[in-house]
Structure formats: C-alpha cells, structure tokens
Amino acid sequence: MELRQQALRVLSLPDPVAKAAAARTLHEAADGLPLDTQATLPEPAGLPGRPALPRLVPHTSLARRSPFTPEGRAALLHAVAHIELNAIDLALDAVWRFAGLPAPYYRDWLRVASEEALHFTLLREHLLSLGWDYGQFDAHDGLWSMTWRTRHDVVARMALVPRTLEARGLDATPPMQAKLAKAGDHCAVAILDIILRDEVGHVAVGNRWYRWLCERQGLDPVAHYAQLVREHQAPRLRPPFNRSAREQAGFTAEELAELERLP
C-alpha cells in the first residue's frame, strides 16, 4: 500500500498501543513504500481511531493534581501521554490529508509520528511501573480539536498546531521536570528530556513548512500568523517562553517579540 494510505490506516487504529507500534513500523518501512504526493484520499468516518478510555472532557473539568502524591504524579504523566498520543494522530493526519506538497514534507511528518509514538510508549511504560495505565484518568481534546478545525488549510495547520499548540510544550516541560525531580521521579525527568529534545525538532518541522507555504503563496509569515490566530481562535500563549528552545526550533526574534504582543 502507498505511504499516505498507510498513514491513514494507522491513524484509524483505535488501540493506542497498536497505533504507536504501527507508526514506528511505518516509518521504518517508509523508504520501501511508494509515495503519491498528488492523490486526494477520501476521508473515512471516525477519525482518529480512539480507545473507549480515557473519557474526554472539557479542559476546565480536569482537576489539578499535585505531582507530590502518587496519584497526582500519575495523572500528570497521563496528561502528557495523552498529548503524545494526540501528537501521533496530528502527524499522521498531516501525512495523509494534504496533497500536492514536496515528498520531504510527508517524510518529515512520518518521522514526527514515529518519535511521538516512542514518547507515548515510554510514558505508558512508566505509568505501568507506577501501577497505572493510559485511560485511567480523564483527558481533554484540545490538540485534536485544532487539528480538525484546520483540516481544510495546510497553512493554518502548520501555523496553529505544531508551532503553536505543540510549541507550548517547549515552555511547559522544564518547569514540569523541576517538579518531578523534586518529587523524586528521575525516570520521568529523563523521559521528558527525550521528549523536549525531539519536540524542538518537531516544532522546527512546523516552522519550516509554514514558512515554505507562506513563501509559495506570497504571504508574510508574521502578519499571516496573527490573522490565523484570530480567525481560528487559537489559545492565547502566555509567557514566560522558553526562548532558547524556541530559537532552536526556528522562531525568529521578530516572531518571539510578536508572540508576546498577541492579544
């Protein structure tokens, strides 16, 4: 089967463990698969494939839990695992959904899906070692909601998912690591080191293709980003920002200054 069709098949899998394994396998096999960059694939119902649990609730319904209790720490790690599972979905969706882009675009996002799958697997294995499993806490649907809202516009997708919502992880991860280190969970801190390293690269992929698309369409990346934020009601990003990680991920000084001025 063709690579983008395979990405759609993996996206449709409901079991998160099977999906993570399949995403990694697909990436490993990608060089041997045909790639049709021009095909417009029909969208099946029920995307993405999801398990019966966790229960998805509004983010305002999720209780804050202290990482200094065993259950609170498990809930925090479960929330991160849920983000990583959603990140597999958004990367696979970027592969199958948007036609007419250069071949490296599809291979970039397939690699991202594979790395997100590794992150989910590491977090779930750590949760299991703590006596919990993925699905045992409620979760919210914010990341996929924006993925769905930008399904008709690849420029908006690149602007508002990897380089906005996912980039929040660059800011949030170091403070989370500090709390987990204080709680004595050095394994979780090490996993988050891997995630932060890889997420810099993932945000860089979003930045690279956002700028490429803007150049192709004659758009100013900074001005158009502000327009997309308003149009799609993207969440307000609040400082402090991890400027070092964001610079590594390709944000310019102008973009960072503009980010802090967004309403």
Side-chain angles (χ1 to χ4, degrees):
M1 190 182 290
E2 188 268 338
L3 187 146
R4 292 175 58 221
Q5 291 178 325
Q6 286 278 32
L8 179 55
R9 178 189 65 81
V10 176
L11 178 62
S12 301
L13 294 174
D15 181 83
V17 176
K19 177 179 285 182
R24 296 178 72 186
T25 299
L26 179 57
H27 177 249
E28 291 168 1
D31 289 343
L33 294 175
L35 170 61
D36 185 347
T37 63
Q38 300 303 315
T40 300
L41 304 179
E43 181 169 352
L47 289 183
R50 281 185 168 151
L53 294 173
R55 187 172 67 112
L56 298 180
V57 300
H59 70 89
T60 52
S61 299
L62 295 173
R64 290 185 176 272
R65 303 191 190 215
S66 169
F68 301 105
T69 67
E71 184 174 359
R73 185 156 24 107
L76 175 61
L77 294 172
H78 183 279
V80 182
H82 181 70
I83 290 170
E84 299 302 320
L85 180 62
N86 274 262
I88 301 172
D89 288 341
L90 74 88
L92 293 171
D93 194 80
V95 172
W96 86 264
R97 185 176 295 277
F98 300 111
L101 294 163
Y105 165 90
Y106 301 101
R107 301 197 183 279
D108 275 351
W109 284 111
L110 192 59
R111 174 179 56 80
V112 170
S114 177
E115 291 176 353
E116 304 289 17
L118 172 63
H119 301 166
F120 173 79
T121 301
L122 291 172
L123 288 163
R124 177 176 179 261
E125 288 174 351
H126 187 45
L127 272 173
L128 289 171
S129 76
L130 299 175
W132 302 86
D133 198 359
Y134 178 70
Q136 289 186 261
F137 297 92
D138 290 345
H140 71 81
D141 203 25
L143 189 56
W144 180 258
S145 293
M146 184 60 76
T147 303
W148 180 249
R149 281 154 56 188
T150 56
R151 67 193 183 278
H152 300 306
D153 182 355
V154 66
V155 183
R157 171 68 63 84
M158 293 298 106
L160 300 178
V161 178
R163 68 192 304 273
T164 300
L165 296 187
E166 284 199 284
R168 295 167 84 176
L170 305 182
D171 309 321
T173 298
M176 189 188 314
Q177 287 180 294
K179 292 179 182 178
L180 288 166
K182 191 172 180 180
D185 194 337
H186 301 293
C187 179
V189 173
I191 292 170
L192 289 175
D193 275 337
I194 295 169
I195 291 174
L196 181 58
R197 178 201 67 199
D198 291 346
E199 292 298 341
V200 168
H202 301 173
V203 176
V205 169
N207 268 323
R208 180 163 62 253
W209 289 110
Y210 173 68
R211 292 204 185 93
W212 185 89
L213 288 158
C214 284
E215 182 176 355
R216 184 175 74 166
Q217 297 186 26
L219 300 169
D220 177 81
V222 175
H224 192 60
Y225 177 75
Q227 177 183 326
L228 290 169
V229 167
R230 293 190 298 270
E231 180 181 338
H232 293 276
Q233 299 180 326
R236 169 78 162 90
L237 302 183
R238 300 188 181 279
F241 299 115
N242 186 343
R243 295 186 67 92
S244 173
R246 284 177 173 269
E247 286 168 357
Q248 290 178 58
F251 285 97
T252 65
E254 181 186 4
E255 286 173 320
L256 289 171
E258 190 68 24
L259 186 63
E260 294 179 340
R261 287 196 293 268
L262 284 173

